Amino acid sequence: MAVEALQALVERWVRPEVRALAPYAVPPAGDLIKLDAMENPYRWPPELVEAWLERLRRVPLNRYPDPEARELRAALRRTWGVPEAAGLVLGNGSDELIQMILLALAGPGRTALAPEPTFSMYRILAVACGLGYVGVPLGEGFALDGPAFLEALERHRPAVLFLACPNNPTGNLFDPAWVERLLEAAPGLVVVDEAYAPFCEASWLDRAGGHPRLLVLRTLSKLGLAGLRLGLLAGPPAWLEQIGKLRLPYNIGVLNQASALFALEHWEVLEAQARRIRADRAALERAVAERPGVRAVYPSQANFVLFRVWPGRAEAVFEGLRRRGVLIRLLHGAGPGLEDCLRVTVGTPEENAAFLEALDGALAEAGGGAR
Ligand SMILES: *Cc1c(COP(=O)(O)O)cnc(C)c1O
């Protein structure tokens, strides 16, 4: 078949909104120091890896997993203190749960609302599921612009409002008083996405199941198990019963269930790593802020730091870092308010030091003057 004919075939049948989507881009890291994806940089100690492998040895791969993942859900409830009143659905990462929520709500005239900038999967999945999507710009310092959100709720009557707390890629927590007001004013669901809960103090999880519109998302990804793909959705059972129908059977495999259970038994290891990352984040924020050529560093409650360089220099800084062996995330061009911005994940102290050294070189090369 000719290339043109194939292209025409694809264009005839793939929905226009899907064709218009930009894919969720993940550049290959190769041998670069990988500080672009908010992964926990620490592995498990060797004796723990041995014990984990020993556990996996006994897992029956010939059998389907427990479709309800009962044991794992019970362990997650205990570990995170999920309220009795809340139901729990597990996903192949929280991405899958976001998709399930949107699939349950999708329909003509249905809209999803979220701040701008925020986690890009809300838009991608909303559009893919056939909902409209509206981004409401954040205010000064990426704070929630409360009145603008109240107006947007009134105007668009969204089926769902996504609030990442802390927000990605900005790292800040939204004012809980405003979140509370939006929760009261929203006509539909409010999904509080707590992917970065291990790195901040505040949480809405204790309210899960206690408010008719609130769903809370958690994930093990940023906590050291990004490769596992396990997310959790907590909220009123009446909602989860419906949303759970869209879960593919056996979405959490036997290896994932066994590995997550094992990880929960050794929770203190992951917690200690998160504490370490929080402490190193403070040092990294200070060090980045001291660099001439850095115009702003945004205070972070997550495991990454967003910073702004001189106008027009972000791309050169990004490329300069990459040439020096460090991969971070270029956010310039990724949305309103992110002009000249870059995001770096908190790594090990050695990785952070290598990043800072490369940053000095990249900033000097990119130019742009002193402060
Ligand atoms: C990373 C991230 C996720 C994705 O989590 P997975 O569980 O790995 O799918 C969800 N929400 C936000 C805000 C994130 O930054």
Side-chain angles (χ1 to χ4, degrees):
M1 187 186 271
V3 174
E4 297 80 36
L6 174 59
Q7 199 54 39
L9 196 59
V10 170
E11 279 175 26
R12 165 154 184 230
W13 287 107
V14 176
R15 286 184 284 139
E17 61 269 30
V18 173
R19 280 188 276 127
L21 276 176
Y24 184 84
V26 182
D31 292 333
L32 300 176
I33 295 177
K34 196 172 181 316
L35 300 176
D36 66 328
M38 282 81 84
E39 292 145 331
N40 171 339
Y42 299 105
R43 306 287 301 265
W44 288 345
E47 63 279 10
L48 210 55
V49 173
E50 283 312 311
W52 167 58
L53 291 175
E54 199 48 48
R55 183 76 63 88
L56 292 187
R57 206 187 286 281
R58 287 184 263 131
V59 173
L61 273 182
N62 58 319
R63 300 290 178 195
Y64 281 113
D66 171 6
E68 305 298 331
R70 271 169 274 252
E71 206 183 338
L72 177 54
R73 283 195 305 155
L76 282 164
R77 270 186 182 283
R78 279 195 304 276
T79 307
W80 265 330
V82 178
E84 285 279 337
L88 216 56
V89 177
L90 304 187
N92 184 24
S94 40
D95 288 338
E96 190 185 40
L97 294 163
I98 296 166
Q99 185 181 49
M100 282 159 52
I101 295 166
L102 289 164
L103 277 174
L105 304 176
R110 301 292 183 91
T111 301
L113 198 83
E116 192 76 52
T118 191
F119 185 47
S120 60
M121 288 311 292
Y122 304 145
R123 177 194 294 274
I124 294 175
L125 291 171
V127 171
C129 293
L131 288 91
Y133 183 88
V134 176
V136 181
L138 291 172
E140 189 63 30
F142 300 116
L144 209 63
D145 181 349
F149 269 88
L150 286 176
E151 197 199 291
L153 289 177
E154 200 48 54
R155 170 127 56 106
H156 301 285
R157 307 305 288 165
V160 56
L161 165 64
F162 287 102
L163 293 173
C165 304
N167 191 36
N168 172 14
T170 58
N172 58 314
L173 270 172
F174 299 133
D175 178 357
W178 267 114
V179 175
E180 186 81 50
R181 277 193 66 180
L182 298 183
L183 200 51
E184 292 318 310
L189 277 174
V190 176
V191 177
V192 174
D193 181 346
E194 300 191 332
Y196 300 97
F199 311 104
C200 74
E201 302 296 327
S203 171
W204 292 83
L205 188 59
D206 58 351
R207 296 276 298 280
H211 190 288
R213 279 185 293 277
L214 175 68
L215 297 183
V216 178
L217 266 176
R218 288 274 181 106
T219 175
L220 294 181
S221 292
K222 312 295 156 55
L223 193 57
L225 296 168
L228 197 62
R229 311 302 300 131
L230 189 72
L232 166 166
L233 181 66
W239 279 111
L240 297 192
E241 199 181 302
Q242 301 299 329
I243 293 166
K245 292 178 190 170
L246 297 162
R247 190 174 60 81
L248 294 179
Y250 313 118
N251 65 330
I252 314 296
V254 284
L255 294 177
N256 278 9
Q257 292 193 28
S259 298
L261 268 170
F262 179 85
L264 293 175
E265 288 164 25
H266 301 277
W267 193 242
E268 70 289 349
V269 176
L270 297 178
E271 280 197 316
Q273 291 174 347
R275 266 198 304 279
R276 176 81 226 228
I277 290 166
R278 283 201 302 259
D280 290 340
R281 170 184 74 202
L284 185 64
E285 280 176 335
R286 279 194 302 275
V288 174
E290 281 167 8
R291 262 59 199 178
V294 171
R295 277 196 300 156
V297 174
Y298 295 91
S300 173
Q301 300 282 312
N303 62 341
F304 58 84
V305 175
L306 180 75
F307 62 101
R308 198 182 288 272
V309 296
W310 285 98
R313 301 292 193 273
E315 202 158 352
V317 171
F318 173 76
E319 288 302 334
L321 282 165
R322 188 149 70 174
R323 258 183 283 112
R324 289 168 176 81
V326 181
L327 182 65
I328 67 169
R329 181 74 191 269
L330 174 66
L331 288 167
H332 179 79
L338 293 175
E339 297 78 22
D340 311 308
C341 280
L342 298 128
R343 184 189 67 198
V344 60
T345 306
V346 181
T348 63
E350 297 74 27
E351 288 171 335
N352 299 339
F355 159 71
L356 289 168
E357 193 186 328
L359 183 62
D360 284 334
L363 285 169
E365 200 174 73
R371 286 207 275 188

